[in-house]
């Protein structure tokens, strides 16, 4: 039975990866952070199923506490380490640049040092990001493309990426970088654009919200499903030779088209009119009798508050190496991903839940 150690187990990928590994029979050890309110909601079903039977173990640990990270690695002696912990919001990284950079750089380095000093040669996975490419190249991006990071978050990921390579080459350590393009799911953080859209489209369809304010509608992303991407994280640690991988779908879509597809799931057709900060998403028709949204309603508007100091305009990845060398083929396309997210959010957004959440004035402030 293999042991995996996951930092950031309470996040989106932490949930899908730990579920995947537990179902494979792994013993999973994960770190959570102490917070003033409980932050394990994503993994609560896994805790209920696997903690009592001693398959899932959780520890309080912040990646910035190098001593706690190193004691855990020494104690657990994992076969595989997945470093998923990060302040992962690009816009927030401009507001909290030092913290984001510390976690991304020193946090990852602390893990590598702990592995280097441990007797067990644990395999190490670093969560690298397509954000490192900076969106200036309109070609499909591979692991050979150059990095032009445009945010504190991206710069910190470039450091972690390179230091993983340095440890691999200097100490013969099995360290790999998975350069993952955006991946989403029904448990995606609510402040990332896809989940913000599916939550808002659900609330608007149910008559619980009038409008959603977004930033750059022209931004293009290569969106996949987190479930497909965590499978690939595991696959690349099963190889014999450590190397870096790009994980992507090879297709890119604008934020605007994502909005249209999400509303379409609820039978609401939108058209966009106007330009720049005056652009609006307007209801053309609402065909599903379950939802009563009036034709002509303005349900999407632009708020410059969501613009970033520098924008990554376009990301599209080239997954050829993953497809051909490892046989990794994503099971979900974008439409299936959006349908799953909308189905889940429409269920969650009952009136009771909405009121329990404190109403949309509070929620929208951070979204
Ligand atoms: P996420 O949902 O934001 O989860 C991040 C996790 O890191 C959470 O468990 C969070 O804990 C934890 N964390 C944050 N700061 C920490 C610290 N100082 N010490 C310990 N834990 C800390 O992110 P995700 O979408 O699952 O992404 C997983 C990783 O992949 C991240 O490193 C992200 O940067 C990277 N990545 C993501 C994507 C994507 O599209 N999702 C693409 C490329 C790379 P709390 O729950 O307490 O906040
Ligand atoms: N969050 C957000 N909110 N983004 C918006 C909004 C909005 O209201 N309106 C437009 N956008 C645009 C952003 O400007 C960006 O171009 C795009 O939508 C995607 O934004 P996010 O969903 O916040 O993700 P991201 O691409 O910045 O970062 C995610 O993917 C990276 C991989 O490329 C995160 O998961 C990172 O951790 C990850 O590394």
């Amino acid at each position: 039975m293999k042991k995996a150690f996951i930092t950031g187990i309470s996040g989106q990928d932490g949930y899908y990866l730990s579920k995947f590994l537990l179902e494979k029979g792994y013993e999973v050890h994960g770190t959570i952070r102490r917070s003033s309110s409980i932050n394990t909601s994503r993994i609560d079903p896994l805790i209920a199923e696997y903690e009592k039977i001693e398959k899932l173990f959780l520890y309080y640990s912040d990646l910035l506490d190098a001593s706690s990270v190193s004691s855990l690695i020494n104690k657990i002696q994992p076969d595989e380490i997945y470093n998923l912990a990060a302040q992962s919001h690009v816009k927030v990284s401009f507001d909290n640049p030092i913290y984001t950079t510390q976690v991304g750089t020193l946090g990852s380095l602390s893990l590598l040092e702990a592995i280097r000093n441990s007797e067990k040669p644990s395999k190490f996975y670093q969560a690298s990001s397509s954000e490192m490419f900076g969106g200036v190249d309109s070609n499909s991006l591979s692991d050979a493309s150059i990095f032009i990071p445009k945010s504190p978050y991206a710069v910190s990921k470039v450091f972690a990426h390179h230091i993983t390579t340095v440890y691999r080459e200097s100490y013969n350590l099995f360290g790999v970088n998975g350069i993952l393009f955006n991946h989403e799911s029904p448990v995606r953080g609510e402040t990332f654009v896809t989940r913000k859209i599916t939550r808002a489209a659900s609330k608007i369809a149910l008559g619980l919200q009038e409008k959603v304010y977004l930033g750059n509608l022209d931004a293009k992303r290569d969106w996949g499903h987190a479930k497909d991407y965590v499978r690939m994280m595991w696959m690349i640690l099963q190889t014999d030779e450590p190397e870096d991988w790009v994980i992507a779908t090879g297709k890119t879509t604008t934020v605007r088209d994502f909005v249209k597809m999400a509303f379409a799931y609820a039978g609401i057709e939108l058209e966009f009119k106007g330009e720049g900060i005056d652009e609006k998403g307007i209801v053309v028709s609402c065909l599903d009798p379950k939802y009563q949204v009036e034709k002509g309603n303005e349900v999407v508007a632009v708020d410059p508050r969501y613009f970033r100091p520098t924008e990554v305009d376009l990301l599209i990845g080239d997954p050829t190496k993953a497809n051909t060398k490892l046989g990794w083929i994503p099971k979900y396309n974008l439409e299936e991903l959006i349908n799953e997210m909308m189905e889940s959010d429409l269920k969650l957004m009952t009136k009771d839940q909405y009121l329990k959440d404190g109403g949309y004035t509070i929620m929208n402030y951070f979204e």
Side-chain angles (χ1 to χ4, degrees), residues 133 144 146 257 277 347:
F133 295 119
I146 55 164
D257 284 341
I277 56 168
K347 273 194 202 132

Side-chain angles (χ1 to χ4, degrees), residues 156-224:
S156 78
K157 286 286 182 185
V158 171
F159 173 90
H161 183 97
H162 287 318
I163 201 72
T164 300
T165 312
V166 167
Y167 271 56
R168 170 165 87 210
E169 288 170 359
S170 311
Y171 304 118
N172 200 25
L173 185 149
F174 194 107
V176 296
N177 294 295
I179 309 174
L180 270 56
F181 282 63
N182 299 48
H183 46 280
E184 321 293 314
S185 73
V187 298
R188 179 60 146 153
E190 292 88 342
T191 60
F192 295 100
V193 77
T194 56
R195 188 77 197 290
K196 177 173 170 179
I197 294 166
T198 58
R199 276 163 58 90
S202 302
K203 286 200 249 172
I204 291 167
L206 292 165
L208 300 170
Q209 181 173 328
E210 282 174 14
K211 193 185 285 191
V212 60
Y213 291 92
L214 296 169
N216 181 7
L217 298 172
D218 291 318
K220 286 177 144 185
R221 288 292 181 276
D222 179 333
W223 280 298

Side-chain angles (χ1 to χ4, degrees), residues 50 68 128 132 134 145 159 173 180 183 239 241 282 311 314 358:
Y50 293 101
S68 110
S128 278
M132 302 187 304
S145 305
F159 173 90
L173 185 149
L180 270 56
H183 46 280
T239 57
E241 286 304 318
I282 295 162
E311 176 62 292
L314 161 70

Side-chain angles (χ1 to χ4, degrees), residues 1 27 50-57:
M1 180 177 55
E27 185 178 295
Y50 293 101
E51 207 193 13
K52 275 204 192 77
I53 58 167
E54 302 199 332
K55 286 287 210 171
L56 174 62
F57 299 84

Side-chain angles (χ1 to χ4, degrees), residues 1-10 14 17-19 21-22 25-32 43 46-47 50-51 53-61 69 71-84 111:
M1 180 177 55
K2 279 193 180 172
K3 282 189 204 172
F5 179 69
I6 304 175
T7 69
I9 196 169
S10 58
L17 178 65
S18 50
K19 185 169 190 299
L21 295 175
L22 286 162
Y26 274 60
E27 185 178 295
V28 172
H29 298 254
T31 64
I32 55 167
I43 53 169
L46 300 178
I47 296 174
Y50 293 101
E51 207 193 13
I53 58 167
E54 302 199 332
K55 286 287 210 171
L56 174 62
F57 299 84
L58 297 175
Y59 312 87
Y60 281 117
S61 176
V69 168
S71 338
L72 284 174
I73 288 176
N74 275 325
K75 180 176 146 199
I76 298 161
Q77 300 269 307
D79 299 281
E80 295 168 12
I81 297 177
Y82 297 86
N83 182 26
L84 307 184
L111 276 166

